[in-house]
């Protein structure tokens, strides 16, 4: 993985008119984005960082939190993202990630990701988010000890963020205390606080309850930093993103689970039968007292498990069906979707990769996947959302993949922008097997889609992005908050002369085995770097076999920059009038000892 020919030059775009136009648009608005050096199987890190660099929400967040002096990781992440997004013109400049990795908090994760083993992009994404949270609240983990939610209930006020109000804003938001703990005293006018720390944080709401009596312990509200969607084990050639989301919110029926309310009802029925058959008044009084205790507990919205243990007997446990279901309660401003491609192969008894294509669109509407607090049913026998009442399937049906629409179908394009509409900003693709492969990223920046494979940066287009295979992670941003900010300067293509593709040469890819110890993550002075093509032309017009004086000066400058730790990868100047052929560029690279 991650091997490359140091003399293999790549163009900034293919022989595609649309990509040529996109390049002209990008150049009119700042030019190319930066690449990331592969320091030995680090494509999983590079792809995640590139995707995050396209997020307006994350960039604004980093600008805000890096004002503090003690947030070293956040500062390094911001510095690297700013470098990638800086104005490079036609030059493709490559940066390194070692300064960012060294700023990670000491621990096993740091040693893991500083190694050279094949790792998971999703795990690295989680590590970055955890590190950002530590930068914001260093004592966050200490505060996450077991706390009774009742101790955190507060009276609701009008200035509290509730439901989908100011969607996208971070900080504290509140959910009904009565839904969190239905048995709490005076919970009707109280709320439970939850805090969203980073742009990827959102709220989920989960309900588990009995299908016979409707008993549930309350809605479980949790902070999430993205969602994972599992591909089915069936060998389908393709599946839509909305089908995977439909499966994510589909009710999961759990068989043979002990239900405390159903158990008390069964005990009451048995004791009532004993009472009716008893003739001894003292014995009847004992039976009646037990029935009164059971009735008192059954009148409560939630059965107390300690009381249940005292009233029931081990030989009278009532088994029933329970249903588990989850929705978004408050989606994050930056939504990360992880496609889990690991499936169990019954033929080999091993985990394999599911290579099915995931069909998705540029816009995603989450309206069908959000349950706001005021729309939640507290009876597990009813649909999770009140708006879906009467639309749900019978609980006696099996919720198979076919019933939930998991089939080969096209993803519908979302044209209208609503409050829950999201726009695609970047994706990560994985090529290879379950245990070995390569990650690349597609990301939209300066109004143009880019394909990034470590140091190699080329112009892409939406059609290539939507038709790519191996989709592993997707990043969507709230459309209403970000579409206007993504609007860039337009150009008149009728008056633009598009350069011949053969003249658009990507910055040279160098042998990482000889360069890894020389390059650092220091900022790149693009304007001060020499042009390899100028060195090529100097060689072409030289009458002697020995290097010209200008070439010697250039090589000396290259060596000085290497000694000082400056990154010089991807340093071609494509503005020369007479661009040399790729073979002569290769010769120039060899003569420059690159």
């Amino acid at each position: 993985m991650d091997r490359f020919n140091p003399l293999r030059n790549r163009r900034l775009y293919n022989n595609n008119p649309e990509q040529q136009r996109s390049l002209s648009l990008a150049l009119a608005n700042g030019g190319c984005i930066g690449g990331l050096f592969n320091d030995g199987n680090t494509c999983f890190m590079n792809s995640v960082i590139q995707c995050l660099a396209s997020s307006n929400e994350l960039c604004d967040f980093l600008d805000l939190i890096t004002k503090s002096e003690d947030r070293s990781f956040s500062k390094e992440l911001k510095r690297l993202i700013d470098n990638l997004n800086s104005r490079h013109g036609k030059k493709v400049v490559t940066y390194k990630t070692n300064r960012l990795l060294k700023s990670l908090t000491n621990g096993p994760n740091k040693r893991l990701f500083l190694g050279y083993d094949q790792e998971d992009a999703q795990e690295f994404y989680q590590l970055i988010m955890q590190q950002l949270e530590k930068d914001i609240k260093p004592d966050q983990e200490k505060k996450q000890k077991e706390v009774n939610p009742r101790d955190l209930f507060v009276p609701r006020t009008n200035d509290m963020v509730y439901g989908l109000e100011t969607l996208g804003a971070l900080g504290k938001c509140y959910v009904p205390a009565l839904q969190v703990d239905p048995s709490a005293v005076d919970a009707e006018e109280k709320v439970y606080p939850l805090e969203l720390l980073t742009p990827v944080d959102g709220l989920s709401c989960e309900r588990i309850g009995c299908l016979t009596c409707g008993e549930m312990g309350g809605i479980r509200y949790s902070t999430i930093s993205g969602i994972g969607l599992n591909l089915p084990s069936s060998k389908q050639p393709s599946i839509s993103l909305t089908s995977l989301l439909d499966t994510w919110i589909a009710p999961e029926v759990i068989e043979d689970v002990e239900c405390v309310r159903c158990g008390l009802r069964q005990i009451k029925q048995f004791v009532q039968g004993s009472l009716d058959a008893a003739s001894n008044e003292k014995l009847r009084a004992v039976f009646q007292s037990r029935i009164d205790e059971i009735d008192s507990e059954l009148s409560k919205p939630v059965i107390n498990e300690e009381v249940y243990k005292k009233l029931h007997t081990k030989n009278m446990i009532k088994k029933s069906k329970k249903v588990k279901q989850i929705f978004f309660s408050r989606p994050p401003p930056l939504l990360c979707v992880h496609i889990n491609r690991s499936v169990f192969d019954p033929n080999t008894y091993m985990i394999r990769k599911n290579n099915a294509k995931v069909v998705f669109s540029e816009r995603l509407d989450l309206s069908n996947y959000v349950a706001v607090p005021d729309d939640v049913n507290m009876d597990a026998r009813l649909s999770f959302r009140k708006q879906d009442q009467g639309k749900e399937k019978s609980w006696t049906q099996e919720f198979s993949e076919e019933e939930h629409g998991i089939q080969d179908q096209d993803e519908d394009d979302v044209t209208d922008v609503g409050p829950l509409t999201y726009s695609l900003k970047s994706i990560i693709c994985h090529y290879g097997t379950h245990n070995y492969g390569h990650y690349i990223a597609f990301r939209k920046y300066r109004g143009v889609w880019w394909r990034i494979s470590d140091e190699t940066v080329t112009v892409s287009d939406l059609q290539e992005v939507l038709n790519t295979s191996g989709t592993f992670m997707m990043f969507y941003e709230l459309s209403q908050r970000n579409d206007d900010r993504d609007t860039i300067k337009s150009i008149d293509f009728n008056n633009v002369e598009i350069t011949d593709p053969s003249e658009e040469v990507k910055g040279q890819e160098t042998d990482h085995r000889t360069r890894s110890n020389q390059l650092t993550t220091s900022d790149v002075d693009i304007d001060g770097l020499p042009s390899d093509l100028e060195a090529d032309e100097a060689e072409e017009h030289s009458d002697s076999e020995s290097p010209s004086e200008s070439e010697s000066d250039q090589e000396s400058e290259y060596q000085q920059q290497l000694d000082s730790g400056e990154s010089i990868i991807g340093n071609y100047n494509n503005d020369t009038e007479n661009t040399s052929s790729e073979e002569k560029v290769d010769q120039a690279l060899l003569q420059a000892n690159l």
Side-chain angles (χ1 to χ4, degrees):
M1 191 187 88
D2 302 326
R3 297 176 180 176
F4 54 85
N5 187 336
L7 300 181
R8 184 183 180 187
N9 299 312
R10 294 180 183 266
R11 302 181 180 92
L12 287 174
Y13 58 86
N14 300 320
N15 278 326
N16 183 317
E18 184 63 31
Q19 292 184 2
Q20 295 177 17
R21 293 162 66 91
S22 295
L23 179 60
S24 299
L25 180 64
L27 293 177
N29 291 276
C32 299
I33 60 175
L36 286 172
F37 187 73
N38 191 313
D39 200 16
N41 292 349
T42 57
C43 59
F44 69 99
M45 294 189 294
N46 295 344
S47 58
V48 172
I49 295 171
Q50 289 283 9
C51 286
L52 294 178
S54 276
S55 169
N56 295 321
E57 300 284 353
L58 184 67
C59 290
D60 291 347
F61 175 74
L62 291 175
D63 288 340
L64 179 64
I65 68 171
T66 49
K67 296 178 182 179
S68 175
E69 294 296 329
D70 57 350
R71 291 170 176 168
S72 59
F73 177 81
S74 300
K75 287 180 179 290
E76 286 300 329
L77 181 60
K78 180 182 184 302
R79 185 196 64 81
L80 183 56
I81 287 179
D82 287 345
N83 283 341
L84 294 176
N85 292 340
S86 58
R87 304 172 69 87
H88 298 119
K90 289 186 178 181
K91 305 168 186 175
V92 179
V93 182
T94 304
Y95 302 90
K96 294 195 71 176
T97 59
N98 54 352
R99 272 180 56 176
L100 176 70
L101 297 180
K102 289 178 181 178
S103 66
L104 289 170
T105 304
N106 290 330
N109 286 332
K110 180 178 179 179
R111 295 193 296 271
L112 173 68
F113 289 110
L114 283 176
Y116 289 84
D117 295 330
Q118 173 74 38
E119 302 296 348
D120 192 318
Q122 196 268 344
E123 293 177 1
F124 182 69
Y125 159 78
Q126 292 290 348
L127 178 65
I128 287 183
M129 293 305 125
Q130 291 170 7
Q131 187 64 53
L132 285 178
E133 291 183 0
K134 288 181 181 179
D135 269 10
I136 301 168
K137 289 197 171 182
D139 299 329
Q140 182 73 8
E141 293 184 356
K142 298 178 182 179
K143 295 179 180 180
Q144 290 180 346
K145 296 179 180 179
E146 289 295 329
V147 178
N148 191 327
R150 296 185 186 182
D151 298 335
L152 301 177
F153 290 169
V154 294
R156 181 177 176 179
T157 59
N158 294 331
D159 59 341
M160 290 179 171
V161 176
Y162 186 85
L164 299 180
E165 297 172 353
T166 62
L167 186 61
L170 301 181
K172 286 189 177 181
C173 55
Y174 299 83
V175 296
L178 190 62
Q179 292 184 3
V180 176
D181 187 353
S183 62
V185 179
D186 299 329
E188 292 82 358
E189 301 300 327
K190 292 184 178 181
V191 288
Y192 177 65
L194 292 159
E195 190 166 15
L196 307 178
L197 295 177
T198 69
V200 300
D201 287 347
L203 293 184
S204 67
C205 51
E206 186 178 37
R207 188 183 73 176
I208 302 176
C210 178
L211 292 176
T212 302
C213 65
E215 170 78 7
M216 52 165 291
I219 302 296
R220 184 183 302 171
Y221 286 95
S222 304
T223 303
I224 56 174
S225 58
I227 58 172
L229 304 178
N230 298 320
L231 289 181
S233 57
S234 58
K235 296 183 179 179
Q236 298 175 233
S238 65
I239 185 171
S240 71
L241 175 60
T242 52
S243 293
L244 294 176
L245 287 169
D246 289 343
T247 305
W248 181 64
I249 65 168
E252 177 187 354
V253 177
I254 309 171
E255 303 281 352
D256 296 328
V257 182
E258 182 179 4
C259 175
V260 292
R261 186 173 293 274
C262 290
L264 284 185
R265 287 178 175 177
Q266 178 177 266
I267 294 171
K268 177 185 176 180
Q269 184 178 4
F270 174 80
V271 175
Q272 185 66 53
S274 300
L275 174 62
D276 295 340
S279 57
N280 186 295
E281 290 300 324
K282 290 185 178 181
L283 186 59
R284 289 177 59 85
V286 172
F287 287 145
Q288 185 61 53
S289 176
R290 177 59 61 91
I291 292 175
D292 293 340
E293 287 183 84
I294 295 175
D295 285 338
S296 175
E297 193 63 27
L298 287 174
S299 65
K300 299 177 181 178
V302 177
I303 303 298
N304 186 296
E305 291 190 4
E306 294 300 323
V307 176
Y308 170 72
K309 291 178 182 179
K310 295 178 181 179
L311 295 178
H312 95 295
T313 56
K314 293 183 178 180
N315 61 344
M316 296 190 65
I317 295 177
K318 180 65 175 179
K319 300 287 187 177
S320 64
K321 288 184 179 180
K322 286 194 174 183
V323 61
K324 177 181 178 181
Q325 196 170 7
I326 189 171
F327 278 85
F328 283 113
S329 178
R330 183 180 175 89
L334 174 60
L335 173 64
C336 172
V337 179
H338 169 223
I339 306 297
N340 183 11
R341 294 183 172 272
S342 301
V343 295
F344 176 74
D345 190 342
N347 297 322
T348 61
Y349 297 99
M350 298 178 66
I351 302 297
R352 64 173 178 86
K353 177 185 175 183
N354 186 334
N355 290 308
K357 179 182 178 182
V358 177
V359 182
F360 57 97
S361 65
E362 189 178 17
R363 292 280 176 81
L364 176 65
D365 187 357
L366 292 184
S367 299
N368 292 333
Y369 313 105
V370 174
V372 296
D374 294 340
D375 193 33
V376 171
N377 272 322
M378 296 297 290
D379 189 332
R381 294 168 296 185
L382 304 176
S383 61
F384 195 116
R385 303 191 304 177
K386 296 176 182 178
Q387 62 176 293
D388 297 329
Q389 193 68 35
K391 301 178 183 178
E392 69 273 7
K393 295 177 180 292
S394 169
W395 296 119
T396 58
Q397 294 181 355
E398 294 294 333
F399 287 90
S400 63
E401 293 176 353
E402 290 76 15
E403 288 175 322
H404 285 288
I406 304 179
Q407 54 188 347
D408 185 6
Q409 60 182 349
D410 294 332
E411 185 78 349
D412 295 331
D413 290 331
V414 179
T415 55
D416 297 332
V417 177
L420 291 171
T421 303
Y422 284 70
S423 298
L424 183 68
K425 296 305 295 287
S426 55
I427 69 170
I428 296 175
C429 297
H430 180 265
Y431 302 125
T433 64
H434 178 265
N435 297 317
Y436 196 76
H438 180 61
Y439 291 97
I440 69 167
F442 289 90
R443 74 180 184 102
K444 189 176 183 180
Y445 196 71
R446 296 193 177 104
V448 174
W449 279 100
W450 304 88
R451 182 187 187 276
I452 309 105
S453 177
D454 297 324
E455 301 92 341
T456 305
V457 179
T458 55
V459 172
S460 182
D461 53 53
L462 180 61
Q463 194 66 22
E464 181 182 6
V465 173
L466 298 182
N467 290 326
T468 190
S469 59
T471 308
F472 186 76
M473 295 180 74
M474 290 174 277
F475 294 85
Y476 283 88
E477 280 192 324
L478 267 173
S479 301
Q480 288 189 343
R481 284 171 57 94
N482 292 283
D483 283 2
D484 290 343
R485 293 196 286 174
D486 290 335
T487 302
I488 45 84
K489 172 186 172 184
S490 61
I491 61 175
D492 183 4
F493 289 104
N494 295 325
N495 298 323
V496 173
E497 180 180 356
I498 300 177
T499 310
D500 186 88
S502 63
E503 297 181 1
E504 300 292 351
V505 184
K506 180 202 174 290
Q508 65 269 32
E509 296 170 332
T510 60
D511 190 343
H512 64 273
R513 289 171 298 181
T514 60
R515 295 290 302 279
S516 60
N517 294 328
Q518 296 173 313
L519 300 179
T520 69
T521 55
S522 59
D523 293 336
V524 182
D525 182 8
I526 299 174
D527 296 332
L529 297 180
S531 168
D532 289 316
L533 294 180
E534 291 175 359
D536 187 20
E537 291 179 359
E539 176 197 16
E540 185 177 6
H541 292 88
S542 176
D543 294 332
S544 62
E545 295 182 359
S546 60
S548 65
E549 183 178 354
S550 61
E551 291 178 61
S552 300
D553 293 340
Q554 289 169 349
E555 292 183 22
S556 176
E557 186 174 356
Y558 271 119
Q559 189 59 45
Q560 291 176 4
Q561 291 169 344
L562 286 174
D563 294 339
S564 64
E566 293 188 41
S567 174
I568 62 172
I569 302 177
N571 170 33
Y572 281 115
N573 184 346
N574 294 321
D575 293 330
T576 56
E577 295 181 0
N578 300 314
T579 304
S580 304
S581 65
E582 291 187 2
E583 291 78 7
K584 292 190 175 183
V585 172
D586 294 343
Q587 295 175 10
L589 293 176
L590 289 173
Q591 289 194 358
N593 197 25
L594 294 174

